[in-house]
Amino acid sequence: MFRRQFALAANGYASHEAWRREWRAARASQFFVLGSKDETAGCQGCVATVDPDGTIVLRLRLPNACASHGKHLVLAGLRFRYGHQAVVAALGRNLSTDTTNWEALSWRFVRDRKGWRVLATVSVPAGPRRSREHLGVVGVDLNADHLAVTDVDRFGNPIAAFRVPCPTRGKTHHQVRAIIGDAVGQVVTYACLQQKPIIVERLQFDDKKAALEQRGARCARMLSGFAYAALHAILGARCYDAGIALRRVNPAFTSVIGAHTVAARYGLSRHHAAACAIGRRDMRLAERPPRRLGDHVTVPLPVRNRGKHVACPDERGRVQWERVPPEERARTSVA
């Protein structure tokens, strides 16, 4: 908006004063009141109390420039559509005699076309721990249009697998967050029923995004169109609230391990097999190549990674991931 003043006619302004009025209105559309745990009700500039009917009353301290309107502005009858009980619980903790439980409450006032909105920032304690480490894990493989979920028992065997659609291509920012929220909700609900922790892959896409121009259109859409950061953030928040442990593991070669160890044996797809390998890696279980691959030098990687690394079983049958020269890659075969 600051740059619009240099092209008033092109941006629909009759004069510079018209731009200035819109500029000042935008700058005055919100303000933030920072809280502190050692102040009254967690915030000295905006003190909140709870009425007997459960609504919140705010006593906002006005600046000296607004002295003609009084020293404080009282806003009564407030009720948050989401998180109201969390705010009430935080105010209750600030009234206790134990100062270690006091916490800061920050308030943001935002004006839009409908009027003023109040947003509160509080600390939400984690829910009671529901996941049990001795029962197994729930492995999740992140893909461009769905989440592959595999339930792994305590011995490392897959006992259930399902697919959660998560199509985010061509959607707006708010639609993407809504779709991801629904998909994550299904996974967390299943983990709560099974009382198992959730294991996901720890992905780093900085290097891959930098090389999008050298990749195909389909791969570029997969890397740039899917909101991995939003999914990890929402998944972490949902697990925190539900009391489900969330751990991240290195995803290197999980698709190869799953394809050659559990996919054919249990009739799983390559994505569900990768989710199983992710769960087994968190359980620190050894991955040995099947007997049918014992007489082969190398195991080929997926097409997207072929030519980089291969899996080589050593004389003890352990899988070794190492670089192989081009002449060795030509000998790669599958039984």
Side-chain angles (χ1 to χ4, degrees):
M1 184 177 292
F2 180 80
R3 295 173 179 263
R4 294 179 185 176
Q5 63 176 319
F6 305 111
L8 297 175
N11 291 292
Y13 295 108
S15 63
H16 190 269
E17 184 61 29
W19 169 87
R20 186 185 296 273
R21 286 194 299 268
E22 185 175 349
W23 166 264
R24 290 179 175 176
R27 292 198 63 178
S29 61
Q30 62 175 296
F31 61 92
F32 184 75
V33 185
L34 181 64
S36 178
K37 65 178 183 180
D38 58 350
E39 296 176 351
T40 304
C43 183
Q44 185 179 9
C46 184
V47 180
T49 56
V50 181
D51 276 350
D53 59 353
T55 59
I56 297 177
V57 179
L58 296 181
R59 188 167 59 92
L60 180 63
R61 184 175 181 178
L62 299 179
N64 296 332
C66 301
S68 59
H69 300 281
K71 189 175 181 180
H72 295 91
L73 175 64
V74 178
L75 305 174
L78 301 180
R79 183 179 295 274
F80 292 92
R81 181 174 300 180
Y82 304 103
H84 182 81
Q85 295 302 324
V87 178
V88 173
L91 293 174
R93 290 191 294 269
N94 287 338
L95 295 177
S96 63
T97 57
D98 187 5
T99 59
T100 59
N101 293 329
W102 292 1
E103 61 181 87
L105 277 80
S106 299
W107 304 88
R108 182 180 296 274
F109 296 79
V110 180
R111 181 177 59 186
D112 53 16
R113 292 177 297 180
K114 296 182 179 180
W116 285 93
R117 292 183 294 131
V118 182
L119 295 86
T121 302
V122 299
S123 299
V124 180
R129 182 54 60 93
R130 298 183 181 179
S131 57
R132 302 292 182 265
E133 301 296 333
H134 65 279
L135 298 179
V137 298
V138 176
V140 180
D141 181 47
L142 310 181
N143 298 281
D145 59 348
H146 72 281
L147 306 179
V149 184
T150 302
D151 190 351
V152 183
D153 62 12
R154 61 191 181 96
F155 301 106
N157 301 317
I159 57 178
F162 59 94
R163 182 178 185 271
V164 180
C166 191
T168 58
R169 180 186 174 187
K171 302 296 190 299
T172 63
H173 172 75
H174 298 288
Q175 291 174 338
V176 168
R177 294 191 64 87
I179 294 173
I180 292 177
D182 294 340
V184 169
Q186 297 182 42
V187 177
V188 175
T189 301
Y190 180 83
C192 291
L193 295 176
Q194 302 300 322
Q195 297 183 343
K196 295 181 179 180
I198 296 177
I199 313 301
V200 295
E201 48 192 355
R202 183 175 60 250
L203 298 177
Q204 298 293 340
F205 281 89
D206 296 338
D207 297 337
K208 292 187 177 182
K209 288 183 178 180
L212 285 180
E213 296 180 356
Q214 302 177 3
R215 298 176 177 269
R218 180 175 179 273
C219 185
R221 287 194 298 266
M222 290 176 61
L223 294 178
S224 60
F226 187 66
Y228 286 95
L231 190 143
H232 277 283
I234 296 175
L235 182 60
R238 293 290 183 88
C239 290
Y240 182 83
D241 294 337
I244 297 296
L246 175 64
R247 295 191 291 271
R248 298 175 174 86
V249 298
N250 185 2
F253 312 108
T254 52
S255 59
V256 178
I257 295 174
H260 291 282
T261 56
V262 298
R265 182 178 181 181
Y266 294 96
L268 299 176
S269 66
R270 60 188 181 92
H271 298 301
H272 289 117
C276 179
I278 291 173
R280 288 175 58 89
R281 177 164 295 179
D282 176 79
M283 301 171 69
R284 300 183 181 278
L285 298 176
E287 301 293 352
R288 298 179 180 271
R291 294 182 179 180
R292 62 184 177 87
L293 297 178
D295 56 346
H296 290 276
V297 177
T298 59
V299 176
L301 291 176
V303 176
R304 66 178 183 272
N305 292 332
R306 192 163 296 169
K308 293 184 178 180
H309 294 75
V310 290
C312 303
D314 61 6
E315 64 278 1
R316 296 184 180 179
R318 297 175 303 182
V319 175
Q320 301 291 330
W321 308 105
E322 59 184 16
R323 292 188 178 276
V324 175
E327 57 272 13
E328 288 292 335
R329 298 194 197 109
R331 301 170 53 185
T332 301
S333 59
V334 179

